[in-house]
Amino acid sequence: MVRLTLALLRVIVLLRSFFTATFAASAFLSFALFLGGDTYWLGDDAALMGAVLFTFTAWWIAVQTTLMPFAGLAVLFEFTRWRSFLAHTAAGGAVALWSARMVELVQGDEAILPYADRDVWLAVLAAGFIGGATHWLIAGHRSGMWLGPDRPDKVVG
C-alpha cells in the first residue's frame, strides 16, 4: 500500500513537472522568436498581447503533442532510475522535435512562421532542451527513488 501511495504521488509530481516544463519551453520559444531581436515593440500593447497569446497557444500545442512521448520516457526513466541531467535534457529536445514534426511547423521548403527553416528547428530544439532541464530540476533528479534502494541489502546467513 505504501508503494502504491508513493507511485500515485510520483505521478502527481511528474504531471506538475510536465506542465511546468512545457510552459517553460513555450515561454522560451516565444522569447526566441519574438524577443530575440529589437524590443521596441514592448511599448505596443497589442504586440505584447500577441506574444503572450503565442506563448499560451504554443504551450497548449506542446501539451497536446508531447504528453504521450513524455509519459513513455518518464516511465522508462523511472523504472531504469535514470537521473542524468544530460539524458533528461536530450530527451526534452527529442520530444520537442517530435512535437514540431507533429504540428508541421516546417512544411517542405516553406515555413509557416516567418523565419528560415533552420531557425525554427533550432528554436524548437532549444525550447525542448529548456523543457527537459526544467523537468529534471523538478522531478527528473529523483527518478526511481520511490522504488526503494537501488540494490537490495544482502542477507547474511
Side-chain angles (χ1 to χ4, degrees):
M1 191 65 175
V2 171
R3 190 149 331 230
L4 180 64
T5 304
L6 289 174
L8 189 58
L9 288 174
R10 187 64 183 167
V11 168
I12 292 169
V13 168
L14 286 171
L15 284 174
R16 188 190 80 189
S17 171
F18 171 72
F19 287 121
T20 306
T22 53
F23 186 77
S26 301
F28 177 80
L29 190 61
S30 178
F31 174 78
L33 295 179
F34 291 115
L35 293 176
D38 295 328
T39 57
Y40 67 89
W41 60 271
L42 285 175
D44 185 11
D45 290 338
L48 181 61
M49 190 60 177
V52 169
L53 289 176
F54 178 83
T55 300
F56 281 104
T57 303
W59 174 72
W60 184 244
I61 290 170
V63 165
Q64 291 175 349
T65 58
T66 61
L67 180 61
M68 292 312 290
F70 171 82
L73 286 172
V75 166
L76 175 71
F77 285 165
E78 286 295 319
F79 286 109
T80 59
R81 301 170 192 238
W82 217 359
R83 298 182 187 114
S84 168
F85 174 78
L86 185 60
H88 281 83
T89 304
V95 169
L97 289 178
W98 166 265
S99 174
R101 195 67 201 149
M102 290 298 291
V103 297
E104 297 181 11
L105 285 175
V106 180
Q107 297 176 352
D109 294 337
E110 183 178 320
I112 295 173
L113 297 171
Y115 301 100
D117 291 350
R118 181 181 57 87
D119 295 340
V120 172
W121 283 106
L122 286 175
V124 167
L125 182 63
F129 289 157
I130 295 293
T134 303
H135 164 69
W136 181 83
L137 285 171
I138 296 172
H141 68 280
R142 297 183 56 95
S143 291
M145 292 181 102
W146 60 276
L147 293 170
D150 287 344
R151 288 185 231 148
D153 294 334
K154 290 185 177 181
V155 177
V156 178

